[in-house]
Structures are given as structure tokens and as C-alpha cells.
Amino acid sequence: MKVENGKQLGKAKIYDIHCPSCGAPAYYDIKSHFYKCHYCDGKVQVIKALEQHKGFRNIQSQKMTESRTHFDLQKAECTGCGAELVFEKGDALANCAFCGRSLVRGEFLSLEGIPEFVVPFSITKDEAQNILIDWCKKNRLKKWARQVLKNADKLTGCYLPYVVLRGPVKASVHRKESRNEYECGGFIDNVFINCSKNLDNLLLDGMEPYDIDGLKEFDFAYVAGHQLKVRDIDGDTLAMRIRGEINEYYDPVIEKTVETKAVYTEIETNEMLHMPVSLPVYYLDTGDYMVAVNGQTGKISVRSSSSKKSYYLISPWWFKGILSAAVVFALLFLSMKFFGANLETIIAIALLYVPFQLIVLLMVYKNSGKYENWFSLDYNITCKNSTSKGGPYVREGGKLMQSNKQLSRTVPKPVFFMDIEGKRTPVAIKFKSFWRIMQMFSAVAFVIFFPVILALFFNGFNFRKIEFIPSSLWFILTLLVLPVILIKGWWIELYNRPWIFILKENGKKKRYKPVKHPLLEKLFSGFKVGKSSKKGKKRTAESNYDKKAIAKFFLKLLFKPPVCFAVWGAIAFFCIMVYYTAGFTFE
């Protein structure tokens, strides 16, 4: 299916949402949270789409009830894995195809668990066996291929219960090492979820996708010659599988956006269409390996019964504080060496400075986010599947041939949303960027070398006359203060206050800058006044502060004793320091 700007474009399907005005298919637009008609620009609310689908399900249920009366069906329940199969009365069944245990027959009476859609078998059992044998021979050097080849004749065909998902998805994203949560949304289309309790979902994922154009309304005539497995998982298990499947699609995009794997995503799917469907599968279990062959396309998936986990470490807040203090001390050591300090002086200053800096940094990290108290390991489950390559098998002139054109699943990328000026707005989030990092280090360098910069300005940018020794006290003071500012004001806030870009309809992005600057908010939080009620007037960052009160505050610092003496003394000391740094001397 073609996707443009988060909109699904393609031909109509039997489960489409239709425009109430013109009857044409309506396609979901992620940014506006509506189904939109591309013919008359009509809109369908998500709740109306669910009601529309409910009406279709009622009609389909009546058709299935009528179809049931024309077929003499039985069911068989496995004594081992509990699988329930529906089949024609004359079919011979001895053992369960999924675990090999004996089957108990009974009369089929209920329509519970019967799907509304079906993808019919396009490949016969003999053809599926030949495809599997040929593929195993091409991989005969691998252990799994030799074992599967010996058991290829035990391949069994069955319609397996699935749920096809279609509709909008919402997700709450929390970066574990920050205090913020973000909302993202998207659209899931043609995603199939296995509803069998004892069948491996990752194995079945490997043989997908199915050609959705082959989807048909279910009729019991499809059961003729094939077994039909009934859904045997509860609603909670299905919901967990749905969230896990959506996470597989969304996690790479979310992890890339928030720039870490340490992220928790909570998926909400109550606005999606859940449609029961039966899919054709040829299945084989050798004990050590499981095999699934797609009964429509011929794609093969083989997986070992074991799985692997990839771990990543989440460090606690106190470790970050100690590590930051160590880095700061290393910078202090190099700075003092640069100015010619001896080892005894460095050790003496370190004994006074490092404990203080460590305590400050520990407090900064502890109060700056939802951090772990101890080291913890988290993991992702990774399973190595072996899957066949190439396109689906199709019939040409009555002969089964493999197509060169591969089927692929296209899922639109999720879009992040934020509440901007009272409106839910699609945005792009950026934490670390080249310009933001450069801005951070440029500001740090400017503060450290501020006296040197002023001195260069006064001496006509004569670098040869610059003396660093007079500014050594400034350098030491900045090394005391800057680590806290850098870590708290920049590095931590880098993730707590990302750059926000508003996504426009034409696909372009525009940087969004909040009306209230966070630094201004902290500095002048005690000078707030009521918000302006004048309409049409664009508010600036300073519009919510009492400017007169701020001016009085600075005038008191400059002219009210005894504080003003300390302020003017500091200004005088700074001016003298800059004067000597510039290479001038008093005569």
C-alpha cells in the first residue's frame, strides 16, 4: 500500500471505512486524527468508523450462520496442547499437527471463534513440501536444514486463527532517564496477530506478509479439505501480543527519536479495528526446530526453540554524580598543570574542591529526573529466524512459479504530538544536534575565557600581550560553578527540554520556541504578574513579569548598602583582573 504524508492510498478493500457522503474509501490521516475521503474531502470520526465496522460484523455473522447449515462439520480437541480444530466430518484425523498428541472428536455446534475473513490456500500440500525440500537442499550445510529435510513429509496444512489490525494507535513514551513523557500516534494497517496459544508468534511472523488483496469474506466452504484451528487465547493475552507487535514496529523510530534504548512505551489500541481472520499455514515441529510455510505465498520460516536476550545497562544517579566529579577533577588538574601549578598545590586544592563538587553534583542528579537507585540490566529478546528469500509463488499457465517482486509490509512511522497553545499539534522532537551541542560548548568556553575576551578587545586583539595568570582566580571559580551549570542547566535539560519543531501540512518543519524561556522563568519567578487579557497582542517572554520590580531589584544591588559595597567591589576586582590580563600595568 502506498503511503504519502501519513495517508494510506490504494484501492478499496472489503474492510475499508467508507465516506458517508460519497461512499468512497476513507483513509486515516495521522496528523488530523480523522479518516479522510480523497474524493469529496469528507471526514469520518474514529468512533463512527468503529460503528461502521460493527454493522458489517453483524451482517457477516448472519451470513456465517446461514453457511453453517450447508456443511456437516466436526471438531477435535487435543489432549496435550488443547488445540481445537474444525473439519469436515469425513476427514481422517488421528494426532494433533502441533504437538503430536491424540485427538478427541466431538460435534461442532458453536460459531464462537470462527473468523469473519479468510485468505484461501493458494499452494497445495505437495507443492509446499517441494518448496520446503528445495530450500533445505540449498542450505544443506546448516544443521536445521538437515533435520527439517528428514521430517518434510510430516508437513500439515491448517487455517490458523489471527486478528488483522487496522486503525489509529496512541502511545505514551517515557524516556527512563528524564522526567518527561511524550505522546505519539500512528496508523496500523494489515498487521496480523496470531491467536494460537501454543504456536510461536515470532516463527509465524517470519513467514509473513500475506497479500491482503487475497482477503475474502469467510465461508465454511473454505474448510473443505483443510482443518480450521479455533482461537484459544483470552483477551488479555491477545492485547499483550498486539502491544508487542506494535512495539516491534514503533520501537526503532521511538528509540531513534528519544536517542536511547532505555525507553518505556505504553500502547493504547482501543480505537483500532480488530477483525478475526483465518490464514493458511503449513506447519512442522521437529522438536528442535519449528517450521511454518505460508499457504498463500510459499514463504518459509524456520526457528530454533531457544531465544537470546540482548542486555543494556542503566546506571544509577549516584554513579553519574561520581563520574561527573571525576571528569571535572581531570579538567581542573589539566588546567592547573597548564598554569604551572606543582603537584602539592594540585593535591591541596583537590582535597578542598572534590568533596564539595561531588556533593553538589550528587544533589543535582538526584533531583533532576526519575533515575534508578542501583545498576539495573534491561534486555530485548532477539530470535534468529531463517526465512526464504524471493517473492511469492504465483501460477502462470497452471504452473507454480516464484515471482521476483517481493511483498513487503508498510507501516507509517509514528508521529509525536504535543499540546501547544491548547492544541494537539504534530511535532518533531530533537535532543542532541550539532548546533545545540556547539551552542552548549561555545557558551561554556565564553564564560571560562570571558576576562580574556574582554582583555583582547581592550588591547586591540594583541594575543602576545595577554597574561593568563591574573585571570587564574576566575578560571578556578568557573571550574567550581560551571560543572553544575553544565550538567544541570545543559546536559540534563538537554533531555528534559528538547527542541520542538512543528510539522506543517506541506511537510516542512518550523522551530517552536515557548513564550516563557526556562532561564528567564527561574531568574524572575518572584516577579510574576497576571497574564495580559488583551486580544490580538502577541505576548513576549517578558510580558508576564513586573519590569519595574525587576529594575528596582537591580538598583538595590547597585546602590543599597551594605550589599552594594560587595557588588561594586566585585566589579572593581573584575575590571582590574581584565586590565592586567590585557597586558597593561599601572605606572
Side-chain angles (χ1 to χ4, degrees), residues 230-269:
V230 178
R231 168 181 162 177
D232 55 7
I233 62 172
D234 58 29
D236 291 339
T237 304
L238 177 59
M240 184 175 64
R241 287 188 180 182
I242 290 173
R243 289 193 295 268
E245 190 84 9
I246 295 173
N247 273 329
E248 284 189 25
Y249 289 112
Y250 281 13
D251 276 351
V253 177
I254 290 173
E255 289 172 4
K256 184 178 179 180
T257 301
V258 300
E259 300 176 8
T260 181
K261 288 187 175 181
V263 60
Y264 174 72
T265 305
E266 185 176 355
I267 302 293
E268 182 183 321
T269 62

Side-chain angles (χ1 to χ4, degrees), residues 395-537:
R395 297 193 184 277
E396 296 180 1
K399 187 177 181 180
L400 195 66
M401 303 287 290
Q402 188 173 22
S403 172
N404 294 324
K405 186 178 180 181
Q406 296 191 28
L407 292 175
S408 61
R409 288 184 290 192
T410 302
V411 176
K413 291 182 179 180
V415 176
F416 280 76
F417 293 89
M418 291 191 72
D419 187 8
I420 295 178
E421 298 177 4
K423 184 179 179 182
R424 185 174 180 265
T425 307
V427 297
I429 300 173
K430 190 68 178 177
F431 294 93
K432 287 183 293 187
S433 67
F434 174 78
W435 293 113
R436 198 174 185 189
I437 298 298
M438 287 299 297
Q439 183 186 43
M440 178 175 69
F441 284 107
S442 297
V444 170
F446 178 81
V447 172
I448 292 175
F449 295 103
F450 183 54
V452 177
I453 295 170
L454 287 178
L456 284 170
F457 178 78
F458 288 121
N459 73 3
F461 292 93
N462 189 341
F463 287 90
R464 292 182 179 181
K465 293 181 66 176
I466 290 295
E467 295 287 343
F468 288 99
I469 298 299
S471 295
S472 58
L473 181 59
W474 174 270
F475 295 137
I476 292 173
L477 289 173
T478 54
L479 284 173
L480 288 170
V481 177
L482 273 179
V484 177
I485 297 175
L486 183 64
I487 294 171
K488 168 63 176 159
W490 282 97
W491 195 250
I492 291 177
E493 293 302 312
L494 191 75
Y495 293 104
N496 286 330
R497 297 184 184 275
W499 279 5
I500 306 298
F501 297 88
I502 297 176
L503 301 179
K504 295 186 176 182
E505 289 291 335
N506 58 9
K508 294 183 178 181
K509 296 188 292 186
K510 180 183 178 182
R511 172 82 186 280
Y512 169 72
K513 297 181 180 180
V515 173
K516 297 178 183 178
H517 192 280
L519 183 59
L520 198 64
E521 181 77 13
K522 291 178 181 178
L523 288 175
F524 304 124
S525 58
F527 302 101
K528 288 184 179 180
V529 295
K531 294 183 179 180
S532 175
S533 60
K534 294 180 180 180
K535 296 183 179 180
K537 181 180 178 182

Side-chain angles (χ1 to χ4, degrees), residues 241-472:
R241 287 188 180 182
I242 290 173
R243 289 193 295 268
E245 190 84 9
I246 295 173
N247 273 329
E248 284 189 25
Y249 289 112
Y250 281 13
D251 276 351
V253 177
I254 290 173
E255 289 172 4
K256 184 178 179 180
T257 301
V258 300
E259 300 176 8
T260 181
K261 288 187 175 181
V263 60
Y264 174 72
T265 305
E266 185 176 355
I267 302 293
E268 182 183 321
T269 62
N270 57 358
E271 294 182 338
M272 296 182 64
L273 305 181
H274 297 61
M275 297 169 284
V277 59
S278 281
L279 300 181
V281 178
Y282 291 102
Y283 183 80
L284 171 64
D285 188 352
T286 68
D288 295 328
Y289 298 96
M290 297 172 287
V291 182
V293 182
N294 190 311
Q296 182 198 37
T297 66
K299 186 177 181 181
I300 305 170
S301 174
V302 179
R303 196 174 84 82
S304 173
S305 301
S306 59
S307 59
K308 296 181 180 180
K309 296 180 180 179
S310 59
Y311 292 89
Y312 56 89
L313 183 68
I314 300 176
S315 56
W317 60 270
W318 53 264
F319 176 77
K320 291 180 173 66
I322 294 173
L323 185 62
S324 299
V327 172
V328 171
F329 173 71
L331 293 173
L332 177 64
F333 176 83
L334 294 174
S335 300
M336 295 182 71
K337 273 291 186 181
F338 177 78
F339 291 112
N342 55 41
L343 185 61
E344 290 77 10
T345 304
I346 294 175
I347 292 174
I349 293 177
L351 291 175
L352 295 172
Y353 168 72
V354 172
F356 163 76
Q357 194 70 54
L358 178 61
I359 293 171
V360 172
L361 290 172
L362 287 174
M363 295 303 296
V364 166
Y365 274 106
K366 186 175 182 180
N367 299 319
S368 297
K370 300 177 181 178
Y371 288 100
E372 300 287 339
N373 292 323
W374 194 251
F375 289 97
S376 61
L377 281 176
D378 210 340
Y379 63 87
N380 293 321
I381 298 177
T382 55
C383 300
K384 188 176 180 181
N385 277 35
S386 296
T387 57
S388 59
K389 306 299 181 183
Y393 283 83
V394 294
R395 297 193 184 277
E396 296 180 1
K399 187 177 181 180
L400 195 66
M401 303 287 290
Q402 188 173 22
S403 172
N404 294 324
K405 186 178 180 181
Q406 296 191 28
L407 292 175
S408 61
R409 288 184 290 192
T410 302
V411 176
K413 291 182 179 180
V415 176
F416 280 76
F417 293 89
M418 291 191 72
D419 187 8
I420 295 178
E421 298 177 4
K423 184 179 179 182
R424 185 174 180 265
T425 307
V427 297
I429 300 173
K430 190 68 178 177
F431 294 93
K432 287 183 293 187
S433 67
F434 174 78
W435 293 113
R436 198 174 185 189
I437 298 298
M438 287 299 297
Q439 183 186 43
M440 178 175 69
F441 284 107
S442 297
V444 170
F446 178 81
V447 172
I448 292 175
F449 295 103
F450 183 54
V452 177
I453 295 170
L454 287 178
L456 284 170
F457 178 78
F458 288 121
N459 73 3
F461 292 93
N462 189 341
F463 287 90
R464 292 182 179 181
K465 293 181 66 176
I466 290 295
E467 295 287 343
F468 288 99
I469 298 299
S471 295
S472 58

Side-chain angles (χ1 to χ4, degrees), residues 69-123:
T69 60
H70 301 293
F71 296 91
D72 194 1
L73 302 174
Q74 283 193 319
K75 69 174 182 178
E77 294 182 1
C78 177
T79 58
C81 66
E84 183 176 327
L85 304 173
V86 177
F87 54 95
E88 281 194 302
K89 189 173 183 178
D91 287 350
L93 284 175
N95 298 313
C96 177
F98 309 108
C99 70
R101 298 287 185 90
S102 60
L103 297 170
V104 178
R105 293 173 182 258
E107 187 177 0
F108 176 67
L109 299 173
S110 174
L111 288 176
E112 186 177 355
I114 299 300
E116 297 169 2
F117 299 98
V118 63
V119 174
F121 275 95
S122 299
I123 298 173

